[in-house]
Amino acid sequence: MTDRRTTIKWMLSVAASMPLLRQRAWGQEVTAWPAVRGYGGDPDLTKIYKPGDVWPLTLSAAQRRTARALCNVILPDDGRSPDANSVGVVDFIDEWVSAPYPQQLQDRPVVMEGLAWMDAEALLRFEKYFAELDESQQHAICDDICYEPKTAPKFARAAAFFTRYRDLTVGAFYSTPTGWKDIGYIGNVPLTKFEGASAEVLQKLGLGPGHT
Amino acid sequence: MSIPTPAAKGKNYDVIVVGSGAAGGQTAYTLSMEGVKVLMLEAGRNYVPEQETPMFQSYDQAPLHGASTPEKDFGFYDSTVDGGWTVPGEPYVQSTSDPHGRFAWWRSRMLGGRTNHWGRISLRNGPYDFKPHSRDGLGMDWPISYEDVAPYYDKVERLIGVYGTSEGLENTPNSSPGCLLPPPAPVVSDYLVQQRARRLGIPIVPGHRAVLTQQLDFKRSPALLHPGNLKAQKIIAQHMQQRAACIWATDCGRGCSIRANYQSTTVHLPPALATGNLDIVCNAMVSQVVLGKNGHAKGVKYFDKVSGAEHQATARVIVLAASACETARILLNSKSALFPNGLANSSGKVGRYVMDTVGADLSGQIPLLESLPPQNEDGASGHAFYAPWWGYQDQQKGKLGFARGYHIEFGGGRRMPGAGTLHGIERFTGGSYGKKLKEDARRYYGSFVGFAGRGEMIPNENSYCEIDPQVKDKWGIPVLRFHWKWSDHETRQAAHMQKTFADIVQAMGGRVTSKVQSDGAEAIAPGGFIIHEVGGAIMGADRQKSVTNEWCQTWDVKNLFLTDGAVFASNADKNPTLTIMALAWRSADHIADMMRRKEL
């Protein structure tokens, strides 16, 4: 099976999730399970869930304030689509870091430490919390940590956090109908006929019948 | 669909079928249509796709936006119930901590088993695939040839509905006219792969999947499927009309509430139940086959998972269709004075020759696909095209360094975004955020194409399962311990896949998104990961070297049949499910014939 199988979800994601899968697919149950329970092996798939429905959210008000600000720095309103928090990305982040699963448990300290670092750095540079900074101040900090290969060694941990946080924010935003509209996903509608590639696009790329 | 309760078990059944997936579903379908009274035992719960399928739910309506977790390994909306790489209370064991020596075992505990979520890729084995040893001296020949199975491939395709084309390519059989449905329209990335891969000499042709691109031929097919059986014809004609054609939306892996793709629960079981000849008991965890004093199987023992009580059911014939490894497990756990090493195991071959499919993946980012005007690319959940293996002649000349072939599955474009969408995008953007990131997301979304190689593994003496002497599951049933080893034929093939995919990406003007792995041992997916495990009770012509004959009938116990992937004597690159169904139908026909002749 290609998850994959087949159904080829993985190609959407640039990053492969194989390493984590490789760690755990060996028949043994996870023993270090936290007290909080997940949705189990047989959840109702047709119900509409929102963050907090299955396990409690755990970010403090202060953490959420910083998290919210950072989501909006990463994906602001640009006139074509609204900012990340208009679709509740901070709630997704809270749900994610509060979840009782290995990937999320691994991300939790990264995000917690990262949010704390953002505020500490903001206070150090501008004597205000990150959420209270103006855009140029927020960018001054983010510019130092937004791309790991070009980050100064002293910012390495913060940059690793930023990479992960950007992924979470991007994934959360673009998997909503608002994000679909922005990014150009126009599927998930029933059709009586499926046309496939448009003749116009094929022509432009020199593809399809008649082209070799 | 009404599911009988265990109260039904008092009846006199002709046949007990253990398992309800591709093998169990097909076996029960064929037998009940032939008037045979069948009791089906399924280890999982009842499952009703018409009510339970999350059609059209967007990922933001799911916990974690649908991301995979150990409780839903393939994501929240994957239809798998109570299953995955681990099943609580039902462990399995590895013989080594060496990662290359391990096997991962995917199970589903639900009516219909893994047919509810599978990829639905439905390829026929070709003539070479039944006689691999004759061709290159490796592995084992089957006791049957392609010609023996071809009529059943035709039947299964007509019954379940498979799209595709007959291309006349080497060892890639044509279907009989009228068997296949038209393939879905390709999307832009499909055409691009086709054009550029063909320049490299790789054939790209329509894929084959069990999805109704149009309604089944309910007027002609019933008589071809069940000649002379008017009752069966009437029932299947009715059920074919109840299945809707694909509406080109919502991923097949969620299941399908309109029955437009193949699931045992939507295709095999409803008409089988309509005959009145099939009873189904769910939550029935079979532990062993019970042997009578005459050396015939007389029934099975199972635990009712809800009450924990142990029951016994009896019938004239026992069919195991529990999935390859679970079937081997049941046999090995069925010990008696006559069979101290497990039932039907006089050859010592039960549990031996477990095979998976060789898998390696690579994806590319393709600038030509950037910033194209939005189009609906949902289609039939991908696999409009694929590349059947093209290297048979090179292999015969000894040019490739590995003996068996692989096919390529690929897909790209504008699929429904989920929690992992555009993760790692900074590798292309140099770390953008803010308004620039939004522009980058619009540019890069839909520009990725993923390739997955699916290749043949040759059975070997080091890949097998046995009963662990200590560990038991929560029902007290001893569990399997796995041993695994790839040979150079598999690892070299995986390295060849990596190079081929990188070449195609390059021919498309793209760049690969991960390291191109030249070390096959690192490129190859671990054993079990492709979830094509077969073998473990192979069929053969020699009872010393195999567990069943060509009819899936065990050599040792006349009224015991194995109709799942356990009997595979080789595991061609072709995904096994279609062949499982074809062999199950053939075996069930044989069982019904023997019953009519009072031989069972």
Side-chain angles (χ1 to χ4, degrees):
Chain A
M1 273 197 2
T2 319
D3 167 39
R4 91 207 173 343
R5 165 185 198 351
T6 30
T7 62
I8 311 192
K9 288 166 191 145
W10 38 262
M11 91 249 330
L12 283 174
S13 167
V14 185
S17 59
M18 201 60 136
L20 191 74
L21 192 58
R22 280 182 195 248
Q23 280 168 28
R24 60 166 247 65
W26 304 118
Q28 303 299 320
E29 289 166 57
V30 176
T31 48
W33 208 255
V36 175
R37 294 174 66 97
Y39 42 62
D42 188 13
D44 181 348
L45 301 188
T46 61
K47 188 180 145 184
I48 294 172
Y49 294 83
K50 57 182 193 308
D53 280 359
V54 187
W55 49 83
L57 305 183
T58 57
L59 290 184
S60 68
Q63 286 167 326
R64 281 179 66 92
R65 187 183 55 195
T66 309
R68 180 188 302 270
L70 186 53
C71 287
N72 278 1
V73 170
I74 290 170
L75 291 176
D77 185 331
D78 69 344
R80 276 185 65 176
S81 67
D83 63 48
N85 287 303
S86 68
V87 296
V89 172
V90 71
D91 300 318
F92 168 86
I93 299 278
D94 200 348
E95 176 189 48
W96 188 276
V97 301
S98 306
Y101 300 113
Q103 178 67 61
Q104 288 71 23
L105 291 169
Q106 189 178 308
D107 288 336
R108 180 178 174 87
V110 174
V111 171
M112 298 301 222
E113 185 190 321
L115 293 174
W117 184 89
M118 298 302 291
D119 274 336
E121 192 68 11
L123 287 166
L124 189 68
R125 294 196 201 185
F126 307 110
E127 297 179 341
K128 284 180 181 173
Y129 290 108
F130 183 77
E132 295 164 344
L133 302 183
D134 65 32
E135 189 182 286
S136 66
Q137 291 168 327
Q138 288 174 328
H139 283 212
I141 295 174
C142 292
D143 285 346
D144 285 339
I145 59 174
C146 68
Y147 189 48
E148 289 183 74
K150 292 191 176 167
T151 297
K154 64 175 175 173
F155 294 133
R157 279 174 80 92
F161 154 72
F162 193 88
T163 298
R164 187 67 189 139
Y165 200 87
R166 174 173 45 213
D167 278 352
L168 292 175
T169 301
V170 164
F173 181 77
Y174 290 110
S175 51
T176 66
T178 299
W180 295 358
K181 196 175 166 204
D182 179 7
I183 210 173
Y185 173 71
I186 56 172
N188 204 39
V189 290
L191 304 172
T192 52
K193 189 172 189 316
F194 180 68
E195 304 284 357
S198 80
E200 186 188 343
V201 171
L202 290 179
Q203 186 63 35
K204 182 183 158 202
L205 297 182
L207 296 173
H211 293 91
T212 55
Chain B
M1 184 162 51
S2 79
I3 301 301
T5 64
K9 73 180 187 299
K11 284 206 257 177
N12 288 320
Y13 293 102
D14 297 317
V15 178
I16 290 171
V17 175
V18 179
S20 65
Q26 182 65 64
T27 307
Y29 171 90
T30 302
L31 291 174
S32 59
M33 286 295 208
E34 292 299 315
V36 176
K37 298 286 182 193
V38 178
L39 172 66
M40 173 179 279
L41 300 174
E42 162 54 47
R45 72 160 170 87
N46 184 27
Y47 171 69
V48 186
E50 292 87 336
Q51 294 165 17
E52 300 189 47
T53 307
M55 306 284 276
F56 298 105
Q57 266 81 346
S58 55
Y59 288 115
D60 63 326
Q61 295 170 342
L64 307 173
H65 285 207
S68 54
T69 70
E71 291 179 325
K72 293 289 283 189
D73 284 296
F74 285 174
F76 189 77
Y77 287 134
D78 180 75
S79 65
T80 300
V81 169
D82 290 330
W85 299 116
T86 56
V87 175
E90 299 186 35
Y92 54 94
V93 179
Q94 306 295 337
S95 60
T96 173
S97 56
D98 173 3
H100 297 293
R102 298 168 142 210
F103 179 84
W105 190 19
W106 182 285
R107 291 163 292 173
S108 291
R109 293 302 187 212
M110 63 195 300
L111 192 65
R114 295 180 290 186
T115 68
N116 294 302
H117 92 141
W118 69 307
R120 291 160 175 93
I121 293 173
S122 303
L123 303 172
R124 295 182 177 209
N125 280 8
Y128 301 168
D129 301 321
F130 290 99
K131 303 293 176 190
H133 184 268
S134 297
R135 194 159 178 275
D136 61 22
L138 300 167
M140 276 87 70
D141 283 351
W142 298 55
I144 46 178
S145 64
Y146 175 72
E147 287 66 34
D148 295 313
V149 188
Y152 289 96
Y153 280 131
D154 281 355
K155 283 188 168 216
V156 173
E157 287 170 352
R158 276 191 184 278
L159 173 69
I160 71 173
V162 174
Y163 72 68
T165 55
S166 293
E167 300 285 331
L169 295 172
E170 186 174 13
N171 198 38
T172 304
N174 292 346
S175 297
S176 294
C179 288
L180 295 174
L181 301 171
V187 299
V188 178
S189 57
D190 292 327
Y191 283 115
L192 184 61
V193 174
Q194 182 182 51
Q195 181 186 73
R196 302 306 166 89
R198 280 180 170 175
R199 290 178 188 170
L200 300 174
I202 299 168
I204 304 289
V205 299
H208 290 231
R209 284 183 70 238
V211 177
L212 302 190
T213 50
Q214 63 187 34
Q215 192 173 44
L216 286 170
D217 186 352
F218 62 89
K219 290 182 178 149
R220 286 186 66 238
S221 287
L224 294 167
L225 293 173
H226 302 288
N229 184 341
L230 293 180
K231 181 186 172 188
Q233 290 175 25
K234 190 179 165 200
I235 289 171
I236 196 56
Q238 194 177 17
H239 281 267
M240 284 179 165
Q241 289 175 79
Q242 288 170 3
R243 294 183 61 196
C246 183
I247 51 172
W248 314 107
T250 105
D251 193 287
C252 289
R254 298 176 178 213
C256 191
S257 68
I258 62 168
R259 300 167 66 179
N261 61 33
Y262 167 78
Q263 301 170 243
S264 176
T265 36
T266 55
V267 178
H268 277 138
L269 300 183
L273 285 166
T275 64
N277 294 324
L278 172 65
D279 285 344
I280 302 174
V281 176
C282 290
N283 292 307
M285 181 76 189
V286 172
S287 58
Q288 58 178 291
V289 176
V290 180
L291 197 65
K293 287 194 180 108
N294 57 1
H296 292 182
K298 71 173 186 185
V300 300
K301 283 187 178 174
Y302 66 93
F303 290 92
D304 176 344
K305 282 183 157 180
V306 179
S307 71
E310 192 175 22
H311 297 284
Q312 185 163 324
T314 56
R316 290 159 64 194
V317 174
I318 308 299
V319 175
L320 299 184
S323 85
C325 296
E326 195 73 50
T327 286
R329 180 188 178 198
I330 292 169
L331 291 175
L332 291 169
N333 276 328
S334 304
K335 292 180 181 170
S336 60
L338 208 52
F339 295 101
N341 299 318
L343 191 58
N345 194 21
S346 66
S347 63
K349 297 299 187 189
V350 174
R352 311 301 298 197
Y353 310 123
V354 175
M355 296 160 266
D356 189 25
T357 289
V358 177
D361 301 345
L362 197 71
S363 65
Q365 194 278 324
I366 315 296
L368 275 172
L369 298 174
E370 291 172 15
S371 305
L372 294 176
Q375 300 182 79
N376 182 332
E377 300 196 327
D378 281 359
S381 299
H383 204 66
F385 285 153
Y386 85 120
W389 177 236
W390 62 96
Y392 293 107
Q393 296 307 315
D394 279 350
Q395 275 174 328
Q396 283 247 288
K397 292 173 197 149
K399 281 186 181 174
L400 295 184
F402 55 96
R404 305 285 172 78
Y406 62 91
H407 70 263
I408 307 172
E409 301 170 7
F410 60 88
R414 297 172 174 263
R415 315 296 303 230
M416 185 195 275
T421 292
L422 292 170
H423 278 198
I425 190 175
E426 78 279 359
R427 272 181 280 171
F428 304 99
T429 64
S432 68
Y433 66 92
K435 291 175 181 172
K436 176 67 167 47
L437 175 56
K438 281 190 158 177
E439 287 167 22
D440 288 335
R442 288 168 201 134
R443 172 181 167 185
Y444 288 105
Y445 168 65
S447 73
F448 298 92
V449 178
F451 297 86
R454 295 291 177 258
E456 179 164 355
M457 173 188 178
I458 300 168
N460 67 61
E461 299 294 338
N462 300 304
S463 299
Y464 63 99
C465 59
E466 61 186 345
I467 297 297
D468 187 86
Q470 272 108 36
V471 182
K472 295 185 167 83
D473 69 12
K474 67 190 286 190
W475 319 105
I477 308 168
V479 309
L480 288 177
R481 177 168 63 189
F482 287 97
H483 300 254
W484 197 258
K485 191 173 182 184
W486 299 112
S487 77
D488 290 346
H489 289 292
E490 288 86 38
T491 55
R492 286 176 189 157
Q493 186 194 67
H496 192 272
M497 291 175 182
Q498 289 277 304
K499 180 170 186 314
T500 301
F501 303 158
D503 288 347
I504 298 173
V505 169
Q506 191 176 31
M508 294 165 76
R511 47 189 164 164
V512 299
T513 60
S514 57
K515 182 175 184 297
V516 181
Q517 191 55 264
S518 57
D519 178 357
E522 295 304 318
I524 197 166
F529 265 44
I530 312 302
I531 321 184
H532 288 171
E533 77 277 6
V534 296
I538 65 168
M539 64 163 63
D542 179 350
R543 62 179 299 155
Q544 306 291 321
K545 294 178 179 170
S546 59
V547 179
T548 81
N549 64 18
E550 63 160 301
W551 304 108
C552 306
Q553 180 183 29
T554 61
W555 290 113
D556 294 343
V557 182
K558 189 183 175 187
N559 67 336
L560 176 62
F561 291 76
L562 318 177
T563 63
D564 58 25
V567 299
F568 278 41
S570 73
N571 191 14
D573 69 277
K574 287 83 168 182
N575 311 39
T577 307
L578 189 75
T579 300
I580 289 173
M581 290 192 255
L583 294 177
W585 196 323
R586 185 170 182 270
S587 176
D589 269 358
H590 184 70
I591 292 170
D593 282 346
M594 288 183 82
M595 286 184 138
R596 276 185 217 107
R597 295 196 304 264
K598 310 281 185 212
E599 291 171 22
L600 281 173

